[in-house]
Amino acid sequence: MDHHGTTITQFISEEQRKAPGATGEFTALLNDIVTACKMISNQVNHGALVGALGSAGSENVQGETQKKLDVLSNEMFISCNEWAGHLAAMASEEMDDVYQIPDQYPRGKYLITFDPLDGSSNIDVNVSVGTIFSILRCPGGVERPTERDFLQAGTQQVAAGYALYGPSTMMVLTTGHGVNGFTLDQNIGEFILTHPDMTIPADTAEFAINASNGRFWEAPVKRYVDECLAGKEGPREKDFNMRWIASMVAEVHRILTRGGVFMYPMDSKMATKGLGGKLRLLYEANPMSFIVEQAGGGSITGRQRIMDLQPESLHQRVPVILGSRNEVERIQGYHADA
Ligand code: AHG
Ligand code: MN
Ligand code: MN
C-alpha cells in the first residue's frame, strides 16, 4: 500500500490501533469530517459555475455578513456529521447556539467545534479559504450538551485539524502525536499522506499581521513589528519579509511549511467595542494552537498560552500570536517587559 500512498483513513486507523481499547469510533468520526471537507472543497472549486459566490444576505451571531459559502459549508458540515452517532452536539462560528443532534439519530461521546469556512472575505476573489475543527470529549453523564459542556481548555482537545482549499486541497491533522498533512487526489477522491511529521522551524524572518490596524496595537506588538521593519540596520540585524492572506488557515499552513509568525493581537479598536480579540477561541485559536504546538511552534495571546485559557463563552474572541517558537517567545517577553 505504501508504494501507492497512504490514505488518511488508513493512517488514522493505524494510529488509533496503537491506542489501547480503541473502538474505531474516532476513526469513523474523522472519516465523516473528511467527507464534509471534500464536499465543501467541491463547492469552493466550482465557485461561480454553481452560483456559490457572493453574500447570503444574513448576519451571524458576531454581526458579520455571511457569504453563501459560509452558510452552505456549515450545512454540509452538519449533514455529514450528525447522523452517524459519534457526536453528542456541535458548535459552529456560523450558529448562535449549540447544535443538538436530531432525535432520529443516536448520540455519541464527542463534541465538535468548527469554523466551516475560514477566510471567507477571500471567496469572491478566488483566494485560499479553509475549514477548521476541534474535537472534544463530551463530559460524562451529559445527555443534552449545553454551552457549558463546550467550555473546555484547548489542552483538553482530542484532535484538531483544518482543510485548506488552495491550489490543491489539503487536510492537516493532529491527534496529539505530531502533525501530518494529506493532499486530496481529485481523481480517486482520497486524501493521501504527502506531508508526514510537519514541523515549524524555531527561527524565521517572516511575519504576518494586518498592518492597517497599526495605530491601534499595544506597545509590545508595535515594538516587535517596528524592529522587524528596521531590518538589517535595526536591533534584529536582519531583514524581514511580510505576508497577509486574511485567511488564518492559509497563514498557518504557510507557517507549518516554512516557518513564520502570525499575529491578530489585541488592539484598542476592538477593546472599545468590548471584544477580546478578532479570532474565536473555540473555532479558530484553540485548534490552530494545538496544531502549531504539536509542530513545535508556540501560540499565545501575548500574555499567556492560548491552550491554557478557560473559555468563558461559546463565541469568545482572543488575541492570537503563533508560529516559530523563538519569535513567539520574544513577543511574549516584550509583553512581560511592558
Ligand atoms: P472568518 O472568515 O471565519 O470570519 O475568519 C477570518 C479571520 C481570519 O481567518 C483572518 O486571519 C482574519 O479574520 C482576517 O482579518 P482582516 O479582515 O482584518 O484582514
Ligand atoms: Mn475564521
Ligand atoms: Mn468562518
Side-chain angles (χ1 to χ4, degrees):
M1 185 71 192
D2 267 358
H3 178 69
H4 303 286
T6 304
T7 68
I8 194 165
T9 312
Q10 184 189 3
F11 182 86
I12 299 161
S13 311
E14 284 174 0
E15 197 175 63
Q16 291 303 302
R17 241 180 258 149
K18 290 179 208 152
T23 58
E25 201 177 333
F26 181 77
T27 307
L29 166 60
L30 273 166
N31 264 329
D32 293 341
I33 297 169
V34 164
T35 303
C37 293
K38 284 195 267 194
M39 284 188 184
I40 298 170
S41 174
N42 188 48
Q43 283 294 315
V44 168
N45 273 203
H46 283 85
L49 293 174
V50 292
L53 306 187
S55 163
S58 49
E59 269 190 6
N60 66 13
V61 66
Q62 346 235 349
E64 299 165 335
T65 306
Q66 292 177 306
K67 301 275 184 177
K68 278 187 204 163
L69 271 171
D70 283 323
V71 176
L72 208 60
S73 305
N74 193 58
E75 285 165 2
M76 289 190 283
F77 202 93
I78 290 173
S79 63
C80 288
N81 284 290
E82 67 181 352
W83 58 274
H86 312 305
L87 293 173
M90 310 186 208
S92 157
E93 184 183 293
E94 303 300 344
M95 293 189 286
D96 299 8
D97 304 309
V98 169
Y99 180 85
Q100 299 295 340
I101 301 299
D103 287 338
Q104 73 256 40
Y105 303 125
R107 295 213 179 104
K109 62 182 178 193
Y110 295 108
L111 299 174
I112 193 162
T113 69
F114 61 102
D115 176 355
L117 206 65
D118 175 66
S120 51
S121 74
N122 284 325
I123 291 170
D124 297 346
V125 288
N126 199 12
V127 170
S128 297
V129 290
T131 300
I132 312 172
F133 63 90
S134 159
I135 300 170
L136 299 163
R137 274 191 193 82
C138 185
V142 172
E143 268 298 305
R144 224 182 136 76
T146 61
E147 171 170 13
R148 217 184 61 193
D149 300 306
F150 282 87
L151 304 182
Q152 303 183 33
T155 49
Q156 300 295 104
Q157 291 172 99
V158 176
Y162 63 77
L164 171 65
Y165 314 119
S168 49
T169 290
M170 286 192 68
M171 175 80 80
V172 171
L173 193 66
T174 185
T175 57
H177 306 282
V179 179
N180 292 282
F182 306 82
T183 305
L184 182 60
D185 183 334
Q186 306 274 4
N187 291 327
I188 57 170
E190 290 277 5
F191 282 99
I192 305 293
L193 179 65
T194 47
H195 295 58
D197 266 321
M198 298 177 87
T199 51
I200 300 175
D203 292 299
T204 184
E206 196 163 76
F207 67 99
I209 193 163
N210 183 342
S212 72
N213 295 319
R215 69 192 185 284
F216 304 115
W217 294 336
E218 296 178 325
V221 170
K222 208 170 176 337
R223 173 181 170 192
Y224 177 76
V225 172
D226 283 346
E227 289 181 4
C228 292
L229 295 177
K232 265 203 185 81
E233 291 73 38
R236 300 298 306 274
E237 297 174 343
K238 65 175 181 181
D239 288 337
F240 280 76
N241 192 9
M242 201 201 77
R243 287 286 185 277
W244 187 250
I245 307 175
S247 184
M248 189 194 200
V249 171
E251 321 269 8
V252 168
H253 193 71
R254 183 188 62 249
I255 289 170
L256 279 168
T257 309
R258 66 178 190 210
V261 207
F262 166 83
M263 291 170 278
Y264 218 117
M266 194 52 201
D267 71 35
S268 59
K269 191 171 71 177
M270 296 188 291
T272 315
K273 291 185 194 156
L275 300 172
K278 161 91 176 182
L279 298 168
R280 278 100 348 178
L281 177 57
L282 294 180
Y283 318 116
E284 296 167 322
N286 268 342
M288 289 312 205
S289 298
F290 192 17
I291 293 168
V292 165
E293 284 196 10
Q294 283 294 317
S299 186
I300 58 170
T301 61
R303 291 169 178 84
Q304 54 180 318
R305 182 184 178 212
I306 287 177
M307 288 213 288
D308 284 337
L309 292 173
Q310 171 57 49
E312 284 158 9
S313 64
L314 211 51
H315 299 291
Q316 181 179 350
R317 297 172 184 250
V318 292
V320 174
I321 296 166
L322 61 75
S324 291
R325 173 160 293 282
N326 292 339
E327 293 299 302
V328 172
E329 277 173 10
R330 172 184 288 270
I331 300 166
Q332 181 146 21
Y334 289 3
H335 281 80
D337 291 349

